[in-house]
Amino acid sequence: MVTSFTAWFSQSLRRFGDVRPRQLADEEKRSGAISSSPIEEMNALGSYADLRIGPMALESSGNFATITHQTIFQEKHRTVVERNFDGAVTTTEVYQARLGELVTRLELSGSTLQGIERRFSDPYVSYDPHHDICFSDAVMLVKQTDLSTVQADRVDPAAAGLLPYEFQARLSKPDHFDLFPYHGWDLSALLERLSAYDTLRVIAERPENLDLMVVWDFMDVVHGGYFSREEFTVGSIGGSHLLVTEGTSDTEIIRHAFSVLRPDVADFFRYVDMEKNYPFGGHGNLLNFMKGLNSIGMAVGVLAIFDNDTAGLGSLRELAKIPDIKAVKLPDMAEFEAFPTIGPGGEQRADINGRAAAIECYLELPENCRIRWNNFDAKVGEYHGTIDQTSAEKSAQRDAFLKTAAGDPYPFEKIMKVLDVIVEACVAG
């Protein structure tokens, strides 16, 4: 994380500096139309881009070393905001979103509380500041601190901290503090050893902070000629998690479900190329594929998704014996605990969780739908069952789902639970 002084200083320049395109300002100066002001002379040192939440600056960088924040934002977050510089109102393009919208994206990027605690407790010894405040106390302090009271542009020798004095005394004031004392220095010092994304995730632990705006302000480096606007794309480029299922239909259904129901995180997931012949048909092939990946150290970032049936449950138990492999089955559902079935014992209602719940069971089911029990799986001591329907009926059920849109009157509740399980597994990994 760039020093909080640097972040504060660059943000202060933005409040009072010239925001016109640098090329235009330079032409005006050469023509004698305007003269250089002290602030403009400071801006001549370079261009800045910064990330902030509410009034608090998190990270600042500039020129050709600009840090980008594509991963946590999406194109829908692009907007134009006004700036008031000493009475002169200008506009600039930024990406901004409520912190509450970004929490899952932060976690899928690796900023989970478990990972943050590990990094907080083991900082880079060469340059990270040291203090004896443990992670649980740091989170407690963040929960008790009202960020809305931060006065980001306040320079005052008596600049007050936000934390209780007993904790302020255990923190080191940042470099340049005597020259530029700023409000809220202690909260910045407390979280200084964390990255900007880790800091945002910790700040999200206070519910009132979820409505604060996270802003990525980058156009200064574009106007400065260091980057083109087209280089500031957003989204999880390439996806961070590879999802592998038992078959083509499963993958098509999950991919469509994310695009319709969870567009806020859909870009974090990628899938095996279906057009080049899906190589993992059935639980056995998927099981062996995951074992193979693990044997060559390539299982990181891959999640295997098995059906909620006897075969899938058996594969999941086998993979659970191998460390560093991520695998889940489709979730148990209360609706499946007394599901119509037919088999050797005739027609009866039975619990199909862990026995016969393929992904089609999580879609809209036809009337009089039932499970037909067939072969016995000796490994798990259960009969294996499938939905009692023809291939054409199964295809029609899938195709009907693949045509849905978010606002359609379709029972999405069960497939949404599938997405919840996938996101939770990827975050936990």
Side-chain angles (χ1 to χ4, degrees):
M1 182 174 176
V2 176
T3 63
S4 51
F5 165 75
T6 304
W8 170 84
F9 184 65
S10 65
Q11 184 172 336
S12 297
L13 287 183
R14 289 181 180 281
R15 291 175 178 269
F16 304 107
D18 188 346
V19 296
R20 289 167 299 160
R22 190 171 305 281
Q23 297 90 333
L24 175 60
D26 290 343
E27 290 174 6
E28 291 175 335
K29 291 172 190 173
R30 286 194 295 269
S31 68
I34 61 171
S35 60
S36 297
S37 69
I39 290 297
E40 289 172 328
E41 290 175 1
M42 284 190 290
N43 282 342
L45 297 174
S47 302
Y48 290 97
D50 56 51
L51 182 73
R52 59 185 181 271
I53 176 169
M56 181 180 179
L58 295 172
E59 186 170 70
S60 183
S61 58
N63 302 347
F64 291 114
T66 296
I67 298 171
T68 59
H69 297 286
Q70 286 101 328
T71 303
I72 62 171
F73 291 103
Q74 295 179 290
E75 189 57 31
K76 68 179 182 179
H77 298 139
R78 181 168 61 90
T79 188
V80 174
V81 298
E82 287 188 350
R83 288 182 181 156
N84 190 326
F85 291 84
D86 198 21
V89 178
T90 61
T91 60
T92 189
E93 181 183 351
V94 300
Y95 285 102
Q96 68 175 19
R98 288 177 53 257
L99 177 59
E101 294 181 58
L102 302 180
V103 171
T104 304
R105 295 185 67 82
L106 289 166
E107 293 182 332
L108 287 170
S109 299
S111 290
T112 63
L113 290 178
Q114 182 180 9
I116 296 169
E117 180 174 11
R118 185 169 57 249
R119 292 186 286 273
F120 185 92
S121 304
D122 186 24
Y124 294 104
V125 295
S126 59
Y127 60 86
D128 275 351
H130 293 274
H131 55 68
D132 62 352
I133 300 175
C134 67
F135 182 70
S136 59
D137 283 347
V139 173
M140 178 269 293
L141 289 169
V142 169
K143 287 181 177 180
Q144 295 176 354
T145 302
D146 185 359
L147 278 184
S148 66
T149 64
V150 174
Q151 301 172 45
D153 57 346
R154 176 181 170 186
V155 181
D156 183 350
L162 300 171
L163 307 180
Y165 179 77
E166 63 180 287
F167 288 98
Q168 288 186 31
R170 294 159 64 181
L171 296 168
S172 299
K173 290 185 177 180
D175 295 340
H176 312 291
F177 186 80
D178 291 338
L179 183 60
F180 290 101
Y182 58 92
H183 191 235
W185 65 270
D186 51 349
L187 182 62
S188 294
L190 175 68
L191 304 177
E192 186 70 29
R193 62 181 59 170
L194 298 180
S195 70
Y197 292 178
D198 285 355
T199 300
L200 283 172
R201 181 59 190 86
V202 172
I203 289 173
E205 286 299 284
R206 178 179 167 93
E208 293 86 346
N209 291 338
L210 296 176
D211 287 326
L212 292 176
M213 297 302 293
V214 180
V215 182
W216 178 25
D217 192 344
F218 59 90
M219 284 300 292
D220 191 36
V221 296
V222 174
H223 294 323
Y226 296 99
F227 292 90
S228 67
R229 173 62 186 86
E230 290 71 25
E231 292 178 89
F232 289 93
T233 56
V234 289
S236 178
I237 309 301
S240 302
H241 306 274
L242 177 64
L243 306 183
V244 191
T245 68
E246 292 188 29
T248 303
S249 292
D250 300 53
T251 298
E252 291 176 342
I253 289 168
I254 290 172
R255 189 205 305 264
H256 180 71
F258 267 114
S259 69
V260 171
L261 303 175
R262 292 299 306 272
D264 57 312
V265 295
D267 53 313
F268 277 92
F269 303 101
R270 51 197 172 93
Y271 309 84
V272 176
D273 190 345
M274 295 301 127
E275 296 181 358
K276 296 182 180 179
N277 299 319
Y278 192 74
F280 313 120
H283 68 94
N285 287 338
L286 178 53
L287 172 65
N288 292 330
F289 172 71
M290 293 303 295
K291 288 182 176 179
L293 281 184
N294 184 68
S295 69
I296 59 174
M298 297 295 291
V300 176
V302 182
L303 177 67
I305 305 169
F306 292 95
D307 286 342
N308 183 15
D309 58 15
T310 53
L313 192 59
S315 296
L316 197 64
R317 288 171 176 168
E318 189 166 345
L319 287 179
K321 303 172 185 177
I322 307 174
D324 302 323
I325 286 185
K326 289 196 300 183
V328 296
K329 67 173 181 65
L330 302 180
D332 290 348
M333 302 293 296
E335 298 95 313
F336 299 160
E337 293 176 0
F339 203 87
T341 68
I342 184 171
E347 293 190 29
Q348 57 184 331
R349 289 187 174 271
D351 188 349
I352 64 170
N353 285 308
R355 302 173 68 194
I359 199 164
E360 290 78 17
C361 293
Y362 297 81
L363 306 181
E364 184 173 28
L365 295 171
E367 292 185 18
N368 303 318
C369 180
R370 63 183 182 180
I371 293 295
R372 180 173 291 277
W373 302 114
N374 38 57
N375 55 304
F376 184 78
D377 190 327
K379 286 186 178 180
V380 294
E382 293 280 2
Y383 279 96
H384 179 72
T386 57
I387 294 180
D388 190 17
Q389 59 184 176
T390 65
S391 296
E393 290 170 338
K394 184 176 180 179
S395 296
Q397 179 194 22
R398 178 200 62 206
D399 293 344
F401 174 73
L402 296 180
K403 294 177 182 177
T404 58
D408 290 350
Y410 187 93
F412 289 116
E413 294 81 10
K414 288 180 291 185
I415 197 66
M416 188 68 177
K417 293 290 186 182
V418 173
L419 304 187
D420 290 343
V421 165
I422 294 172
V423 170
E424 182 179 350
C426 290
V427 165

